[in-house]
Amino acid sequence: MLVLLALCVGCGRNERMDALYAERCLNCHGPGGGGNGRLAASLPVRPPDFRDTVQRKSNGQIRNVIAQGAGVMPAFGPVLRPSEINDMLQM
């Protein structure tokens, strides 16, 4: 039973996704995606809460924001492969 629970907690995520998030997103978006990362307070605009973003935007729109940037968020298209950007949509 404990093994099954441990497997389900990680469903849809993998170590590569977690590493990408920690490297590229965590400092601004925070551990749960709430826009409360350690650098968020120093930005001129608070990063959005992912829970709101996924309700209002399509996967294509989110993919474009990650790739092209928006506001103070830099474009990650030049440094992430398309497959990595797609992985970020599963977070």
Side-chain angles (χ1 to χ4, degrees), residues 9-77:
V9 168
C11 290
R13 296 180 61 158
N14 62 46
E15 288 179 18
R16 182 179 79 156
M17 290 164 55
D18 289 342
L20 281 173
Y21 187 84
E23 180 182 333
R24 305 287 183 179
C25 312
L26 180 66
N27 285 327
C28 296
H29 289 286
N36 59 345
R38 68 178 183 88
L39 297 179
S42 67
L43 297 172
V45 177
R46 182 181 170 146
D49 184 324
F50 287 166
R51 294 166 291 192
D52 296 333
T53 301
V54 298
Q55 297 298 317
R56 294 180 292 119
K57 296 189 182 284
S58 70
N59 282 348
Q61 290 171 313
I62 296 168
R63 188 179 295 108
N64 285 338
V65 168
I66 295 169
Q68 299 170 7
V72 298
M73 181 173 158
F76 289 104

Side-chain angles (χ1 to χ4, degrees), residues 1-10:
M1 182 69 107
L2 187 57
V3 172
L4 180 60
L5 180 60
L7 289 173
C8 287
V9 168

